[in-house]
Amino acid sequence: MTGITRSSTVFRRPSPRRRRVAALAALTAAGTAVLVAAGPAAAATPPLPPTITSSFTPAEVGVGNSTASALGVTITDPDPTNKVSALSFTDTLPAGLTIDNPNGLNGTCGSAGVITATPGTSTFSLSGGSLAALATCTISISVVAAEPGTLSNSPGAVSSSAGSSAPGAVETLTVLPPPTVTVTGIKNKATYSFGQVVRPKYSCTQPSDATALADCSAGDDLGDTIASGGKLNTTTPGLHTLTVVAASTDGLSTTDNINYRVLPDSRFTITSVSPKKHGALGFVLALPGPGTVKVVEIGPKHAVVGADTVKVTQKRHLKVDLKPTKAGLKLLTPATGTTGAVKLGVKLEVTFTPKGGVKRTVTQGGIVLTSK
């Protein structure tokens, strides 16, 4: 008979202490797995510092207070999430460049920002400014240059709660000298005869930038525009001024005033010359204005056959009847024993001296006087 073998396994429940140790080990393993999966904690991203730039508008001006340029400074917060505060910069202008009066201040950088731009000084600054994330502000002032040349300027660095920027790039301002004027063909304090042909020539240049010359023109005090090489008006007696002006696009100008004098008109004409009885001579003078008329008849051997002096007070036609002098009568007296009329050839010289002017003499020959 086959025997049957029996076996049995007895399971024992762990003690409470062993159960607590096992649970703690399981928790430790799970925590380690979580830490390995997550890795080390990410470091916080630092804020980005602001940037600063500047510009001159316009970048070319004339020297002196007549023209100015706007110096603008732009600050930007490049950080997409963080605002920036305590913005501060100081721009020390180059030698020869100062803040205009008035200073032309425009723009702000935050409600608490303080901008300093005192007219006549060379320091432009901001303190306590602020910007929102990705925001920009621009402040500008008006500046003037005392000397021509090329001036270079950088606003420097801007400091802030996010740190300091790199210095702003250097910008240049070109400062032009005044334009120049050259005049020939006329001299200051010159005197010209009435109606004299005078053709002044002039030219203008703008040093450092020929394209900046805007105008080159001339005119006189009578309201006439005089082109270069054109005729000067010399038909009005008295003191006059020719003014040549050169102007540039930056607002500067140069003026050359040439003073000159035009003498009174001394031109006159002799008409209606007619020998009369007993050696007299009649004629008419057309005189341009007040002055003195001197008339002389010259006979053989330069003998003065007739002479007279007349003063006139205005423009007029003067009728003259010239009587012979004693020397003239003697020359016109027939020789003893002759009965015919004596004919005497003479030359008429008329000199007119206008008041305040220069005399002019007109001669007319071929005149024959008769004793009858």
Side-chain angles (χ1 to χ4, degrees):
M1 193 175 164
T2 303
I4 299 171
T5 303
R6 296 180 177 178
S7 66
S8 63
T9 302
V10 180
F11 293 92
R12 295 182 179 179
R13 182 178 180 85
S15 68
R17 182 177 178 214
R18 289 185 175 181
R19 291 201 299 271
R20 288 196 298 271
V21 171
L24 181 60
L27 288 173
T28 300
T32 301
V34 169
L35 288 175
V36 170
T45 302
L48 297 176
T51 62
I52 186 169
T53 61
S54 67
S55 64
F56 287 106
T57 306
E60 183 177 272
V61 297
V63 66
N65 294 330
S66 61
T67 57
S69 178
L71 171 58
V73 175
T74 298
I75 301 173
T76 301
D77 179 7
D79 197 302
T81 58
N82 298 308
K83 68 179 182 179
V84 65
S85 61
L87 291 169
S88 178
F89 77 86
T90 298
D91 186 348
T92 301
L93 304 178
L97 193 65
T98 57
I99 300 172
D100 199 5
N101 188 11
N103 63 12
L105 178 62
N106 186 39
T108 59
C109 275
S111 59
V114 177
I115 302 169
T116 302
T118 305
T121 67
S122 57
T123 301
F124 171 35
S125 65
L126 166 71
S127 62
S130 61
L131 283 174
L134 298 179
T136 294
C137 70
T138 298
I139 53 178
S140 65
I141 58 170
S142 180
V143 293
V144 292
E147 298 292 337
T150 300
L151 302 179
S152 299
N153 178 72
S154 168
V158 57
S159 61
S160 73
S161 59
S164 295
S165 72
V170 173
E171 301 294 334
T172 58
L173 176 67
T174 301
V175 184
L176 299 180
T180 62
V181 173
T182 302
V183 183
T184 60
I186 184 173
K187 292 183 178 181
N188 193 41
K189 298 183 179 181
T191 298
Y192 300 113
S193 301
F194 187 94
Q196 182 177 342
V197 176
V198 181
R199 295 183 180 275
K201 293 182 179 181
Y202 57 88
S203 61
C204 310
T205 59
Q206 174 57 67
S208 303
D209 185 0
T211 64
L213 183 67
D215 180 56
C216 183
S217 58
D220 61 21
D221 58 306
L222 301 172
D224 301 311
T225 298
I226 311 297
S228 180
K231 289 178 63 175
L232 193 67
N233 185 343
T234 57
T235 59
T236 301
L239 295 175
H240 299 286
T241 302
L242 175 68
T243 301
V244 183
V245 178
S248 59
T249 55
D250 55 37
L252 288 180
S253 64
T254 299
T255 300
D256 192 358
N257 291 315
I258 301 97
N259 300 312
Y260 61 96
R261 180 186 179 203
V262 176
L263 297 175
D265 191 0
S266 61
R267 299 172 300 177
F268 66 95
T269 59
I270 306 171
T271 60
S272 304
V273 178
S274 176
K276 297 182 178 296
K277 293 181 180 180
H278 309 300
L281 180 67
F283 54 92
V284 176
L285 299 176
L287 301 170
T292 302
V293 177
K294 183 178 180 181
V295 180
V296 178
E297 281 179 314
I298 300 174
K301 298 182 179 180
H302 303 288
V304 177
V305 176
D308 196 6
T309 300
V310 180
K311 289 187 177 181
V312 294
T313 59
Q314 60 185 357
K315 179 181 179 179
R316 59 174 294 189
H317 284 77
L318 178 66
K319 185 177 181 180
V320 180
D321 286 315
L322 190 62
K323 300 295 191 292
T325 62
K326 289 182 179 180
L329 289 173
K330 184 176 180 180
L331 291 172
L332 289 165
T333 300
T336 304
T338 61
T339 57
V342 176
K343 294 183 178 182
L344 182 65
V346 297
K347 178 176 65 175
L348 178 64
E349 284 189 357
V350 180
T351 300
F352 174 63
T353 305
K355 184 178 180 180
V358 178
K359 67 182 180 180
R360 180 190 293 266
T361 300
V362 175
T363 301
Q364 186 168 332
I367 301 170
V368 178
L369 303 179
T370 178
S371 61
K372 296 258 183 166

